[in-house]
Amino acid sequence: MPAKTTTATRKPAARRRKTVPRARVGKGLKVPKTVPIHARMGMWLALQAASQMDAHKSVVMSRKDAAILRMTHEGCPTCHGNGQLFTKDKKTGAFSGSKPCPAKPTKAKASRIKVAMAARFSPDKRTGLVGWTCPCGKKEKPRFRDAKEATKALREHEKKRHGGKTVGGAWYGQGADTAEPTKPVTEGQPLTKVDTTSSMTDEQWEAQNTPLGQKAAESRGVCFCCGGKGALYSARNSQHVTTVCPICAGTGKHRADQPTP
């Protein structure tokens, strides 16, 4: 009898999850007026906390989806690393919608730990998400998966604030291609400043430097040279000098093309 052969299961490529309706904690519940006032206050606080927790969970899920798209479409010339395309109106130039990137992903896998770190601590955690603005002054930061979800939230705001009337609100998308790239300081003398008011010793002043390893800096989304502070500290003969980090140009952010030490 021939021996059984087992075929290795192929892991599917990382992709964005489909939105599914989830049960909202406390949805439809109201504080009864027949209970004592201290019980009503406790119930009201519990419902408010449940609503905030549910909203935060939804935001984190959207950030994780955006992080997966950024990692699997890194270096993509079609979407510039966003994972989706933001379309614009030809006449007005305003954003008119969003759609998934039609190009094939450049990477098939995305590390779960890197996705979680990018969704919570990366300075680009809102890149690839959508927000909305209203003429009344209300503005929602980019935290929605696409224009459809942002429009739904805008209509909900108009229903509560404007009686269901459309007042001309709009949505906007935050993409890697819309942000101006930071020009690194690589030529000439870096900007320096002498601090004459510091009471620290030379050792305490230089202890403010917090350099990181390449992997740790990349996972946190900060510059490895300055540790995200954007400045370097040096001291000599009680003269304390602050220098703009030449690697990140004082931004403290991680750069994919940053030189290695």
Side-chain angles (χ1 to χ4, degrees):
M1 183 175 180
K4 294 183 179 180
T5 58
T6 58
T7 57
T9 58
R10 185 178 180 183
K11 191 174 182 180
R15 66 180 190 276
R16 174 180 245 178
R17 294 179 291 267
K18 294 183 178 180
T19 54
V20 293
R22 296 187 295 111
R24 305 293 181 179
V25 180
K27 182 180 180 181
L29 297 180
K30 294 183 179 180
V31 179
K33 296 182 180 180
T34 56
V35 297
I37 185 171
H38 62 276
R40 276 187 282 170
M41 293 179 61
M43 294 176 67
W44 182 82
L45 288 175
L47 291 176
Q48 292 296 318
S51 177
Q52 294 293 331
M53 182 175 60
D54 192 75
H56 175 70
K57 185 177 180 180
S58 177
V59 171
V60 173
M61 292 288 287
S62 297
R63 289 178 181 176
K64 285 184 177 181
D65 291 338
I68 290 174
L69 289 179
R70 291 198 304 270
M71 292 180 183
T72 54
H73 285 261
E74 184 178 0
C76 176
T78 305
C79 62
H80 303 283
N82 287 334
Q84 65 173 331
L85 301 176
F86 297 137
T87 58
K88 295 183 179 181
D89 187 85
K90 295 182 180 180
K91 295 182 179 180
T92 62
F95 289 105
S96 59
S98 62
K99 60 181 180 179
C101 178
K104 185 179 179 180
T106 57
K107 296 181 179 179
K109 297 181 181 180
S111 171
R112 182 177 297 181
I113 296 178
K114 289 185 178 181
V115 168
M117 295 289 290
R120 289 174 170 84
F121 307 109
S122 173
D124 300 325
K125 59 186 178 183
R126 298 184 185 277
T127 301
L129 299 179
V130 181
W132 57 265
T133 58
C134 183
C136 70
K138 178 68 175 178
K139 182 178 181 180
E140 191 72 49
K141 292 181 179 180
R143 66 182 187 91
F144 301 99
R145 296 161 56 97
D146 47 33
K148 183 178 180 181
E149 295 294 326
T151 303
K152 188 186 299 182
L154 176 60
R155 296 294 177 261
E156 187 68 22
H157 163 74
E158 292 175 343
K159 182 179 179 181
K160 294 180 179 179
R161 184 72 178 271
H162 306 289
K165 297 181 180 179
T166 302
V167 293
W171 67 270
Y172 65 98
Q174 179 171 328
D177 56 338
T178 59
E180 295 183 359
T182 304
K183 296 181 180 180
V185 181
T186 55
E187 298 180 358
Q189 288 290 337
L191 300 178
T192 60
K193 180 181 179 181
V194 179
D195 193 328
T196 58
T197 61
S198 174
S199 59
M200 298 182 183
T201 62
D202 291 354
E203 292 77 10
Q204 291 174 339
W205 183 262
E206 292 184 343
Q208 297 180 95
N209 294 311
T210 55
L212 297 172
Q214 286 283 352
K215 292 184 178 180
E218 184 179 357
S219 63
R220 298 182 187 181
V222 298
C223 174
F224 73 91
C225 184
C226 62
K229 293 184 177 180
L232 304 176
Y233 303 92
S234 60
R236 185 178 182 182
N237 297 330
S238 300
Q239 186 178 15
H240 299 164
V241 180
T242 304
T243 306
V244 175
C245 179
I247 303 298
C248 64
T251 62
K253 296 182 179 181
H254 172 77
R255 287 179 26 230
D257 59 340
Q258 64 184 8
T260 55

